Structures are given as structure tokens and as C-alpha cells.
Amino acid sequence: MKTILVIEDEKPVLTNIVEILESGGFQAIGAENGADGIQLAKERKPDLILCDIMMPLMDGHGVLSELRSETATATIPFIFLTAKADKTDLREGMNLGADDYLTKPFRRKELLMAVNARLEKQAAMLERYAGERNLAETLRSKMQDLEQLNQTRDELLMKLIEDLSNPLSKINLAIKMLKNTPPGASRDRYLEILQEEFNREISLLNQVSDLQGLLTLENVKLLRQFNLLDSKLGNTR
């Protein structure tokens, strides 16, 4: 059940509005001055506020200004009740952030229609805001996943560079030794080393090619979930 706060200094009018709202299926609470209305708004966090403009001590504009300055009450829909449709008052209220106006006297149907319409707009706005927030969260999550994927690719690339450098060093050493070694058993051994390290180099290059297809976001997340990727990288370093 939606809660409506009514701020009205004329008690008979306040009582009548509360009764209309309750008959329309709302929970209505009333305040007879602006200060009490502000206090109730902060305590009860109503779904909508109906507030008279012309009140002693603090008028409706003062109430609205105060509520809009507080984070907890800044977005509560606010409808002014006014006995006169003065354009200056209306414009001032709109500038302060009023959502609608009702000119007194008004009928029961007019009051309930205005309240329901404003609540529906508020619900639509909150739904749209929730959708945008969910979209932002989804995008943020995807960005984090992509950063994790890029980090993993960088780690694997560094490991592959290290692995590739080892066979190259041995190949380079074997070539130098062959230059100064006469034909025989030693020369044959250096040729075997060259062939072994060459095959290892080709194998590593093939692994790089295979990783392009295997290193997907889903695979990386799964491997990290079971600490398989991190342990593998750690053990090979």
C-alpha cells in the first residue's frame, strides 16, 4: 500500500483529503504545518507528498526546497495544492522541482487521478533507472572480464617468450660448437641437439597458434576458478 503525506494547515481540508485517499486504497498521513510535514517526510519516507502552498510560518515552497535538499527525500513525488492558479507561484514551484499542481477546490476523482498518474510516472522512472543501473553493472562486469582476459594473455605471452628463448639459446650454442668441431661423434651430438631444439621451437610455436582458439573468456574464468591457470603459470616461471 502506497503512503501519501498530506501537508495542509486547514484541518477540515486535511481531514477530507486524507479520507479521499484512504477510500482510494492509500495509506494517508497528515501534517498541519510545514515543519511537521518535513519531519514526517524524513521519518516515514512517503511515496508521494501533497502540500498546500499558502501556509503560515513555512509555506509550500519552503517545504519543497527543504525536502529537495535532503538526499533521502529529494526524489519523492511532490504535488502542490493551491487555492489560486497564479502563474508566478506555479513557475516558482516548478523551478523548485514540483511535479504537479491541483487547484482547490478539486473533486475526489481529480485528486485520485493526479496521485495515481504521478505514482505511475515515478514507478516508470524507477524501472528505467533500475534497467540503466543493471546495464551499467553488466558493462562494468564485462570490462573486468576483458581486463582479466588481457592480463592472462599477457602472462602467457611472457611465459611463451621465456620458453622460446631457451631453445634458441641452445641452437645458437650448438651452431658455434659445430663451427669448431671436426666430423665425428661430438659433431653428430651437436646436430642432434640442433634437431631437438628446432623441434621444440616448432612445438612451442604451434602451442601459440592453438592458444588463440583456446584462450576464450569462458576458458580463462574456468581455469582461474579452480586455480589451474595461476598454478601453471607459477610452476613454469
Side-chain angles (χ1 to χ4, degrees):
M1 181 181 292
K2 299 293 185 181
T3 300
I4 312 297
L5 170 60
V6 184
I7 307 173
E8 169 62 64
D9 64 311
E10 295 184 28
K11 192 167 184 177
V13 178
L14 173 61
T15 301
N16 183 47
I17 295 174
V18 168
E19 290 176 351
I20 292 174
L21 292 172
E22 289 177 344
S23 70
F26 298 104
Q27 180 181 10
I29 52 178
E32 295 184 24
N33 60 71
D36 289 346
I38 291 172
Q39 186 65 30
L40 276 175
K42 293 178 179 180
E43 293 175 356
R44 300 290 295 273
K45 306 296 189 303
D47 298 287
L48 185 142
I49 297 173
L50 295 167
C51 182
D52 189 22
I53 291 182
M54 301 299 294
M55 295 186 296
L57 300 180
M58 178 181 288
D59 64 9
H61 293 151
V63 172
L64 178 58
S65 180
E66 175 72 18
L67 294 178
R68 288 293 186 256
S69 68
E70 297 283 341
T71 302
T73 57
T75 60
I76 298 176
F78 196 100
I79 298 177
F80 271 131
L81 306 175
T82 177
K84 61 174 184 176
D86 185 273
K87 290 184 178 180
T88 301
D89 286 339
L90 298 181
R91 177 51 54 192
E92 182 179 354
M94 295 302 291
N95 289 338
L96 289 172
D99 296 288
D100 203 353
Y101 279 89
L102 274 175
T103 302
K104 297 187 288 187
F106 44 77
R107 297 178 180 179
R108 176 181 183 278
K109 182 178 179 180
E110 292 174 330
L111 174 61
L112 294 179
M113 284 181 61
V115 169
N116 281 311
R118 186 50 51 186
L119 289 174
E120 288 174 2
K121 288 183 179 180
Q122 180 76 355
M125 183 187 72
L126 291 176
E127 183 178 355
R128 184 170 63 252
Y129 171 75
E132 292 174 352
R133 184 176 59 185
N134 290 337
L135 177 60
E137 286 296 322
T138 300
L139 291 175
R140 184 181 65 83
S141 177
K142 288 184 177 180
M143 287 296 296
Q144 290 177 341
D145 289 342
L146 289 174
E147 289 175 1
Q148 185 181 63
L149 178 60
N150 287 334
Q151 179 183 357
T152 301
R153 283 175 173 169
D154 291 342
E155 291 172 354
L156 287 174
L157 179 60
M158 292 300 298
K159 179 62 183 63
L160 285 170
I161 290 174
E162 292 177 8
D163 290 344
L164 286 169
S165 64
N166 292 330
L168 287 175
S169 298
K170 292 182 178 180
I171 290 173
N172 186 49
L173 178 61
I175 291 173
K176 289 182 179 179
M177 298 300 295
L178 279 171
K179 289 180 178 179
N180 302 315
T181 301
S186 297
R187 188 179 182 89
D188 293 340
R189 177 57 188 149
Y190 290 138
L191 288 173
E192 289 178 5
I193 293 174
L194 279 173
Q195 187 62 53
E196 290 172 359
E197 298 305 321
F198 174 78
N199 292 338
R200 187 179 302 177
E201 195 83 0
I202 293 300
S203 176
L204 287 171
L205 290 173
N206 288 333
Q207 290 180 37
V208 174
S209 178
D210 292 340
L211 277 173
Q212 295 297 321
L214 294 174
L215 198 59
T216 64
L217 181 59
E218 290 74 17
N219 289 342
V220 168
K221 292 173 70 174
L222 185 62
L223 290 170
R224 287 199 180 278
Q225 180 180 351
F226 293 99
N227 297 321
L228 296 176
L229 189 60
D230 293 333
S231 59
K232 182 178 179 181
L233 287 172
N235 290 336
T236 53
R237 287 175 181 173

Short mmCIF file of all heavy atoms in Angstrom, two decimals, residues 129-151:
data_model
loop_
_atom_site.label_atom_id
_atom_site.label_comp_id
_atom_site.label_asym_id
_atom_site.label_seq_id
_atom_site.Cartn_x
_atom_site.Cartn_y
_atom_site.Cartn_z
N TYR A 129 15.45 3.56 -14.39
CA TYR A 129 16.71 3.76 -13.68
C TYR A 129 17.33 2.42 -13.30
O TYR A 129 18.54 2.22 -13.44
CB TYR A 129 16.47 4.59 -12.42
CG TYR A 129 17.66 4.67 -11.50
CD1 TYR A 129 18.75 5.48 -11.81
CD2 TYR A 129 17.71 3.93 -10.33
CE1 TYR A 129 19.86 5.54 -10.98
CE2 TYR A 129 18.81 3.99 -9.49
CZ TYR A 129 19.87 4.80 -9.81
OH TYR A 129 20.96 4.85 -8.98
N ALA A 130 16.48 1.47 -12.84
CA ALA A 130 16.99 0.14 -12.48
C ALA A 130 17.56 -0.56 -13.69
O ALA A 130 18.60 -1.22 -13.61
CB ALA A 130 15.86 -0.68 -11.86
N GLY A 131 16.89 -0.40 -14.86
CA GLY A 131 17.39 -1.01 -16.08
C GLY A 131 18.73 -0.42 -16.49
O GLY A 131 19.65 -1.15 -16.88
N GLU A 132 18.86 0.89 -16.38
CA GLU A 132 20.12 1.55 -16.74
C GLU A 132 21.23 1.15 -15.77
O GLU A 132 22.39 0.96 -16.16
CB GLU A 132 19.93 3.06 -16.74
CG GLU A 132 19.02 3.55 -17.87
CD GLU A 132 18.72 5.04 -17.76
OE1 GLU A 132 19.08 5.64 -16.73
OE2 GLU A 132 18.12 5.59 -18.70
N ARG A 133 20.86 1.02 -14.49
CA ARG A 133 21.86 0.61 -13.50
C ARG A 133 22.32 -0.82 -13.75
O ARG A 133 23.52 -1.12 -13.65
CB ARG A 133 21.27 0.73 -12.09
CG ARG A 133 22.26 0.41 -10.97
CD ARG A 133 21.64 0.64 -9.61
NE ARG A 133 20.45 -0.18 -9.44
CZ ARG A 133 19.65 -0.11 -8.36
NH1 ARG A 133 19.90 0.77 -7.42
NH2 ARG A 133 18.60 -0.90 -8.27
N ASN A 134 21.38 -1.69 -14.08
CA ASN A 134 21.74 -3.08 -14.39
C ASN A 134 22.64 -3.15 -15.63
O ASN A 134 23.58 -3.95 -15.69
CB ASN A 134 20.48 -3.92 -14.60
CG ASN A 134 19.70 -4.15 -13.33
OD1 ASN A 134 20.26 -4.07 -12.23
ND2 ASN A 134 18.42 -4.43 -13.45
N LEU A 135 22.31 -2.31 -16.62
CA LEU A 135 23.14 -2.27 -17.83
C LEU A 135 24.55 -1.80 -17.49
O LEU A 135 25.54 -2.36 -17.99
CB LEU A 135 22.50 -1.34 -18.86
CG LEU A 135 23.29 -1.12 -20.16
CD1 LEU A 135 23.50 -2.45 -20.88
CD2 LEU A 135 22.56 -0.14 -21.07
N ALA A 136 24.64 -0.77 -16.64
CA ALA A 136 25.95 -0.27 -16.24
C ALA A 136 26.74 -1.33 -15.49
O ALA A 136 27.95 -1.48 -15.70
CB ALA A 136 25.79 0.98 -15.38
N GLU A 137 26.05 -2.08 -14.62
CA GLU A 137 26.72 -3.15 -13.89
C GLU A 137 27.20 -4.26 -14.83
O GLU A 137 28.29 -4.80 -14.66
CB GLU A 137 25.77 -3.73 -12.84
CG GLU A 137 25.54 -2.85 -11.63
CD GLU A 137 26.81 -2.65 -10.82
OE1 GLU A 137 27.60 -3.61 -10.68
OE2 GLU A 137 27.04 -1.52 -10.36
N THR A 138 26.37 -4.56 -15.83
CA THR A 138 26.75 -5.58 -16.80
C THR A 138 27.97 -5.15 -17.60
O THR A 138 28.91 -5.93 -17.82
CB THR A 138 25.58 -5.87 -17.76
OG1 THR A 138 24.45 -6.33 -17.01
CG2 THR A 138 25.96 -6.92 -18.79
N LEU A 139 27.98 -3.89 -18.02
CA LEU A 139 29.12 -3.37 -18.77
C LEU A 139 30.38 -3.35 -17.92
O LEU A 139 31.48 -3.67 -18.39
CB LEU A 139 28.81 -1.96 -19.29
CG LEU A 139 27.73 -1.87 -20.38
CD1 LEU A 139 27.43 -0.41 -20.70
CD2 LEU A 139 28.17 -2.60 -21.64
N ARG A 140 30.22 -2.97 -16.65
CA ARG A 140 31.37 -2.95 -15.74
C ARG A 140 31.93 -4.36 -15.55
O ARG A 140 33.14 -4.56 -15.56
CB ARG A 140 30.96 -2.38 -14.39
CG ARG A 140 32.11 -2.22 -13.40
CD ARG A 140 31.61 -1.66 -12.08
NE ARG A 140 30.72 -2.59 -11.43
CZ ARG A 140 31.15 -3.61 -10.68
NH1 ARG A 140 32.45 -3.82 -10.51
NH2 ARG A 140 30.29 -4.41 -10.10
N SER A 141 31.03 -5.34 -15.41
CA SER A 141 31.46 -6.73 -15.24
C SER A 141 32.19 -7.22 -16.49
O SER A 141 33.22 -7.91 -16.39
CB SER A 141 30.25 -7.61 -14.95
OG SER A 141 30.62 -8.96 -14.84
N LYS A 142 31.66 -6.87 -17.67
CA LYS A 142 32.31 -7.28 -18.91
C LYS A 142 33.69 -6.63 -19.06
O LYS A 142 34.63 -7.27 -19.55
CB LYS A 142 31.43 -6.92 -20.10
CG LYS A 142 30.19 -7.81 -20.23
CD LYS A 142 29.40 -7.48 -21.48
CE LYS A 142 28.20 -8.42 -21.63
NZ LYS A 142 27.41 -8.13 -22.84
N MET A 143 33.81 -5.38 -18.64
CA MET A 143 35.10 -4.70 -18.71
C MET A 143 36.12 -5.40 -17.80
O MET A 143 37.29 -5.58 -18.17
CB MET A 143 34.94 -3.24 -18.30
CG MET A 143 34.24 -2.37 -19.33
SD MET A 143 35.17 -2.25 -20.88
CE MET A 143 36.64 -1.40 -20.32
N GLN A 144 35.66 -5.80 -16.61
CA GLN A 144 36.56 -6.51 -15.70
C GLN A 144 36.98 -7.86 -16.29
O GLN A 144 38.14 -8.26 -16.18
CB GLN A 144 35.86 -6.72 -14.35
CG GLN A 144 35.67 -5.44 -13.55
CD GLN A 144 34.93 -5.67 -12.25
OE1 GLN A 144 34.25 -6.68 -12.08
NE2 GLN A 144 35.05 -4.74 -11.33
N ASP A 145 36.02 -8.55 -16.93
CA ASP A 145 36.34 -9.83 -17.56
C ASP A 145 37.37 -9.65 -18.68
O ASP A 145 38.30 -10.45 -18.84
CB ASP A 145 35.08 -10.48 -18.12
CG ASP A 145 34.16 -10.99 -17.03
OD1 ASP A 145 34.62 -11.15 -15.89
OD2 ASP A 145 32.97 -11.20 -17.31
N LEU A 146 37.18 -8.59 -19.48
CA LEU A 146 38.12 -8.34 -20.58
C LEU A 146 39.50 -7.98 -20.06
O LEU A 146 40.52 -8.39 -20.63
CB LEU A 146 37.58 -7.22 -21.48
CG LEU A 146 36.37 -7.58 -22.34
CD1 LEU A 146 35.85 -6.34 -23.06
CD2 LEU A 146 36.72 -8.66 -23.35
N GLU A 147 39.54 -7.22 -18.96
CA GLU A 147 40.82 -6.88 -18.36
C GLU A 147 41.52 -8.14 -17.86
O GLU A 147 42.74 -8.29 -18.00
CB GLU A 147 40.62 -5.89 -17.21
CG GLU A 147 40.22 -4.49 -17.67
CD GLU A 147 39.91 -3.57 -16.51
OE1 GLU A 147 40.03 -4.02 -15.35
OE2 GLU A 147 39.56 -2.40 -16.76
N GLN A 148 40.73 -9.05 -17.26
CA GLN A 148 41.30 -10.30 -16.78
C GLN A 148 41.82 -11.15 -17.94
O GLN A 148 42.89 -11.76 -17.85
CB GLN A 148 40.23 -11.08 -16.01
CG GLN A 148 40.76 -12.36 -15.35
CD GLN A 148 39.67 -13.11 -14.63
OE1 GLN A 148 38.72 -13.57 -15.24
NE2 GLN A 148 39.81 -13.23 -13.32
N LEU A 149 41.06 -11.17 -19.03
CA LEU A 149 41.48 -11.92 -20.20
C LEU A 149 42.78 -11.36 -20.78
O LEU A 149 43.71 -12.10 -21.11
CB LEU A 149 40.38 -11.90 -21.26
CG LEU A 149 40.68 -12.61 -22.58
CD1 LEU A 149 40.97 -14.09 -22.34
CD2 LEU A 149 39.52 -12.45 -23.56
N ASN A 150 42.85 -10.03 -20.88
CA ASN A 150 44.07 -9.40 -21.40
C ASN A 150 45.26 -9.66 -20.50
O ASN A 150 46.38 -9.88 -20.97
CB ASN A 150 43.84 -7.89 -21.55
CG ASN A 150 42.92 -7.56 -22.72
OD1 ASN A 150 42.83 -8.31 -23.68
ND2 ASN A 150 42.22 -6.44 -22.63
N GLN A 151 45.01 -9.62 -19.18
CA GLN A 151 46.09 -9.90 -18.24
C GLN A 151 46.60 -11.33 -18.40
O GLN A 151 47.81 -11.58 -18.39
CB GLN A 151 45.60 -9.68 -16.80
CG GLN A 151 46.66 -9.97 -15.74
CD GLN A 151 46.12 -9.82 -14.34
OE1 GLN A 151 44.97 -9.45 -14.13
NE2 GLN A 151 46.94 -10.12 -13.36
#
